[in-house]
Amino acid sequence: MTVRNGATHLFIPGPTNVPEAVRRAMNVPMQDHRAPDFPDLTLPLFEDLKRVLGLSNGRVFLYPGSGTAAWESAITNTLNRGDKVLMSRFGQFSHLWVDMAERLGLDVVCVDVEWGKGVPVADYEYLLTKEPDIKAVFACHNETATGVTSDIAAVRRAMDNANSDALLYVDGVSSIASIDFQQEAWGVDLAVTGSQKGLMLPAGLAVLGVSDKALEASKTATMPRCYFDFVDMIKTNDVGYFPYTPPVPLLHGLRASLDLLFAEGLPRVFERHHRLAEGVRRGVHALGLELRARGLEWYSDTVTAIDVPEHVDGVEVCRIGYDRYRTSFGGGLTKVAGKVFRIGHLGDLNEVSCLAALAAAEMSLADAGADIELGAGVAAAQEYYRKVNAGIATAT
Ligand code: PLP
């Protein structure tokens, strides 16, 4: 057995670190999920998730599954085979959602965008005006593969400008509960996330926020579905149960994670993510490296994808981080494999966590052959965190 001392360090953009209080809350004996008092646990969870999503009407569905399950539920419950839908592809996750839509038989109008930019709002407005038969608009709020956040309010404005009556589907898997998300204010009809990111839980719960308009659409949508059917969910959820066996420990964990989020206050959670992310970005820039996000307007507060210098292999950076420094970074996926590595900074973390990530990144980069000045990134982030925390600088 290899003995490895000290903690491991998880800086992948999900699953994220699970707070101790959440871990303890999940350590429960198995329980009767049809017991008369089970709704005492579940009903407040549905309501509190709506608060996280910024949804006062509509409803939230919780499926045993990952974010991908919520993608599929959103599509199959509300659309028909052959429906024309508008999507964009600028990273591995937006790519996979397009792939799912095509495989489920939708007629996808897809705008391909450079990996490093986000939802092409002007193109959306143009296409929606030109093709009024588009039934659904899809947007990936935070593309985890490239560290790019898109402006969902602007997508809604583009739809309104084009007089589009389409439903708006948003992937908030790596944004919800970490970056400001306003489902109702932005007119999002279907908002998707999973438990293992901002909600600080293990993977296993797919979360889907659904507007009243989308619920209405589901009544006539004909795409085949069974496990995900809103009808079965509504019938049982309304009285606090599920149509099948729910992952009870995860529900207890969710209670604890929501309590933590509300105790901190959602605006402060978002502000913390912004502050921590900004420190990481300053650290990366101080090392003379570039972000994959091609411009300030795309910077993500939950994940930073860093372009490695030309002669350096991003895969090596991650391997060295893992093998020598017990630190996991996100690797580059498909199109950007080897070209980027990613620091996930969402969920349960603070300034010192991010400094540790930068320190391990510097060592891994240097060991992989990058010509960087050790300590420069950490120092830039330290400076920033100190000033912001002392009120000398604002977190901009
Ligand atoms: N969408 C985004 C933006 C993601 O980051 C991920 C996973 O990382 C997914 C969708 C897929 O979610 P899951 O792996 O929970 O199925």
Side-chain angles (χ1 to χ4, degrees):
M1 187 178 82
T2 316
V3 176
R4 310 196 75 195
N5 297 314
T8 54
H9 305 283
L10 194 60
F11 292 109
I12 57 174
T16 64
N17 297 290
V18 177
E20 187 55 28
V22 175
R23 266 210 306 241
R24 277 202 301 263
M26 289 188 293
N27 188 4
V28 286
M30 285 311 107
Q31 167 183 356
D32 175 4
H33 61 288
R34 304 202 193 282
D37 59 353
F38 195 63
D40 296 347
L41 170 65
T42 53
L43 291 175
L45 291 177
F46 298 137
E47 278 314 301
D48 287 344
L49 278 170
K50 285 173 72 177
R51 227 173 115 188
V52 172
L53 293 168
L55 190 63
S56 61
N57 297 305
R59 58 190 307 147
V60 169
F61 295 112
L62 266 182
Y63 298 97
S66 71
T68 306
W71 272 356
E72 186 158 337
S73 171
I75 291 174
T76 55
N77 275 287
T78 54
L79 291 167
N80 310 308
R81 279 210 172 110
D83 277 352
K84 190 184 276 189
V85 304
L86 177 59
M87 305 185 84
S88 46
R89 190 160 43 188
F90 40 79
Q92 183 60 10
F93 296 101
S94 44
H95 160 77
L96 288 173
W97 211 6
V98 169
D99 178 60
M100 174 185 279
E102 286 173 343
R103 287 206 254 166
L104 289 171
L106 296 173
D107 173 14
V108 180
V109 177
C110 180
V111 186
D112 274 299
V113 176
E114 178 191 351
W115 285 33
K117 295 185 174 171
V119 177
V121 173
D123 291 349
Y124 271 25
E125 185 167 332
Y126 170 76
L127 287 164
L128 287 165
T129 308
K130 205 174 85 172
E131 304 190 41
D133 55 337
I134 289 174
K135 296 276 192 323
V137 174
F138 288 68
C140 182
H141 187 204
N142 192 76
E143 175 50 81
T144 321
T146 54
V148 161
T149 301
S150 290
D151 184 347
I152 302 302
V155 174
R156 167 47 63 192
R157 280 195 301 276
M159 292 173 69
D160 291 346
N161 291 344
N163 288 321
S164 169
D165 194 33
L167 292 169
L168 176 57
Y169 298 63
V170 174
D171 176 338
V173 172
S174 57
S175 62
I176 286 169
S178 304
I179 298 175
D180 187 25
F181 194 89
Q182 300 294 332
Q183 180 162 0
E184 211 148 272
W186 297 342
V188 175
D189 294 296
L190 294 119
V192 170
T193 192
S195 49
Q196 76 277 20
K197 310 243 178 197
L199 292 171
M200 306 176 288
L201 289 159
L205 284 175
V207 181
L208 182 63
V210 185
S211 72
D212 284 334
K213 181 174 166 185
L215 287 170
E216 208 43 48
S218 73
K219 293 178 185 161
T220 50
T222 57
M223 204 176 272
R225 69 250 181 194
C226 173
Y227 186 80
F228 295 124
D229 202 320
F230 286 175
V231 172
D232 301 323
M233 292 295 278
I234 290 170
K235 208 161 44 186
T236 47
N237 284 182
D238 270 351
V239 282
Y241 299 99
F242 288 81
Y244 30 61
T245 318
V248 177
L250 280 175
L251 298 178
H252 284 286
L254 178 59
R255 178 69 273 149
S257 84
L258 291 168
D259 289 346
L260 286 175
L261 288 170
F262 295 149
E264 185 174 356
L266 288 172
R268 290 182 62 189
V269 171
F270 304 147
E271 190 277 330
R272 173 170 55 85
H273 280 83
H274 178 62
R275 179 170 29 110
L276 296 179
E278 183 58 25
V280 171
R281 289 191 283 265
R282 287 181 187 219
V284 170
H285 285 138
L287 292 170
L289 301 176
E290 297 296 332
L291 304 193
R292 169 56 48 161
R294 299 293 188 234
L296 280 173
E297 69 273 33
W298 304 116
Y299 285 178
S300 161
D301 284 343
T302 58
V303 54
T304 298
I306 300 150
D307 282 347
V308 292
E310 221 150 69
H311 59 285
V312 173
D313 181 0
V315 175
E316 262 304 276
V317 175
C318 293
R319 187 194 63 74
I320 290 169
Y322 190 77
D323 284 347
R324 295 189 194 163
Y325 305 116
R326 306 196 64 190
T327 299
S328 288
F329 297 112
L333 301 172
T334 58
K335 229 185 208 182
V336 288
K339 296 185 183 145
V340 307
F341 76 103
R342 296 171 297 149
I343 300 178
H345 35 77
L346 72 162
D348 185 37
L349 77 175
N350 57 32
E351 283 81 355
V352 176
S353 325
C354 290
L355 294 175
L358 283 168
E362 288 180 1
M363 291 192 289
S364 307
L365 279 160
D367 293 0
D371 181 17
I372 55 157
E373 185 191 334
L374 286 176
V378 172
Q382 283 173 321
E383 268 306 298
Y384 173 73
Y385 292 146
R386 283 182 59 236
K387 283 189 181 150
V388 170
N389 284 318
I392 299 166
T394 48
T396 52

